[in-house]
Amino acid sequence: MNLKQIYKDQIVPKLMAEFGIKNMMAVPQVTKININMGVKEMAHDKGLIDKVASQLVAIAGQKPKVTRAKVAIANFKLRENDPSGLTVTLRGTRLYDFMTKLFGIVLPRVRDFQGVSKTAFDGAGNYSLGMTDQIVFSEIEYGKIDKIRGLQITFVIKNSNPEKSKRLLELMGMPFKK
């Protein structure tokens, strides 16, 4: 049984009972996942975009979009419209497949993993998870990377607040710190 089916059959009724929600459309739901990778060297090395993009394609299963600098920052040697990172937005089936992979395979592979932080929620109930290296994903070949880079994973949750979002992610399998 996949995570989407588990959400519909088991998690929605639990959340409705716990929070006293009467309409199933008002139950918190993960609508999208944003994966961002900022690469400051990208502005000076044009070939780096392809290398990092291929790694993000392997992680997310989807082609990333190049993000560009909105303003020039002299201290970072960054001009306006220089490439500054990559972003991918996952929705639908890819979202649930990525969550299954992240919770079941990737996070347990992190060395000395004690669980993810319980305090990384914003006021609207969205959760942000920062990862220090991309090599914990099994799709990345260690010999082909030139530098270890971090990435930011944001779970965008609708109809929620931090308490409901935390409970939703717990039921979906996110390993929070004890």
Side-chain angles (χ1 to χ4, degrees):
M1 196 186 280
N2 64 3
L3 190 58
K4 188 173 189 174
Q5 199 62 42
I6 292 170
Y7 171 76
K8 287 181 179 178
D9 295 342
Q10 299 170 9
I11 296 174
V12 169
K14 274 187 186 176
L15 289 173
M16 287 176 76
E18 282 182 33
F19 294 108
I21 300 170
K22 292 180 175 57
N23 186 351
M24 70 181 292
M25 297 304 285
V27 174
Q29 178 183 7
V30 180
T31 55
K32 65 182 177 178
I33 295 176
N34 292 330
I35 305 170
N36 299 308
M37 188 180 277
V39 185
K40 61 183 175 185
E41 305 92 18
M42 206 181 281
H44 308 294
D45 185 5
K46 301 299 179 198
L48 190 62
I49 293 173
D50 297 329
K51 288 180 187 175
V52 178
S54 67
Q55 293 173 11
L56 210 49
V57 165
I59 290 170
Q62 187 172 308
K63 186 179 178 193
K65 177 186 164 209
V66 177
T67 56
R68 300 194 172 273
K70 292 180 177 135
V71 293
I73 303 171
N75 288 343
F76 297 129
K77 297 178 183 166
L78 190 66
R79 293 189 180 125
E80 191 174 344
N81 279 337
D82 277 352
S84 60
L86 297 165
T87 184
V88 174
T89 301
L90 302 175
R91 290 183 169 91
T93 306
R94 284 197 178 132
L95 174 141
Y96 289 102
D97 292 344
F98 180 78
M99 286 176 68
T100 303
K101 177 176 70 169
L102 183 71
F103 299 158
I105 299 168
V106 175
L107 290 177
R109 284 185 61 173
V110 175
R111 187 179 353 156
D112 299 331
F113 183 67
Q114 302 293 320
V116 297
S117 173
K118 294 179 181 181
T119 61
F121 291 97
D122 65 7
N126 302 322
Y127 185 80
S128 293
L129 173 67
M131 302 194 71
T132 55
D133 53 1
Q134 80 274 35
I135 58 174
V136 294
F137 289 91
S138 56
E139 297 89 359
I140 301 293
E141 294 180 40
Y142 188 74
K144 290 189 176 180
I145 60 170
D146 56 338
K147 183 178 175 185
I148 293 177
R149 293 183 174 84
L151 51 107
Q152 182 80 20
I153 303 168
T154 304
F155 297 87
V156 179
I157 303 171
K158 74 171 189 176
N159 299 334
S160 194
N161 59 34
E163 179 190 355
K164 290 178 184 175
S165 294
K166 181 178 178 292
R167 186 64 182 141
L168 170 67
L169 292 174
E170 276 177 350
L171 292 172
M172 288 183 134
M174 182 172 278
F176 286 104
K177 287 182 183 170
K178 300 285 185 235

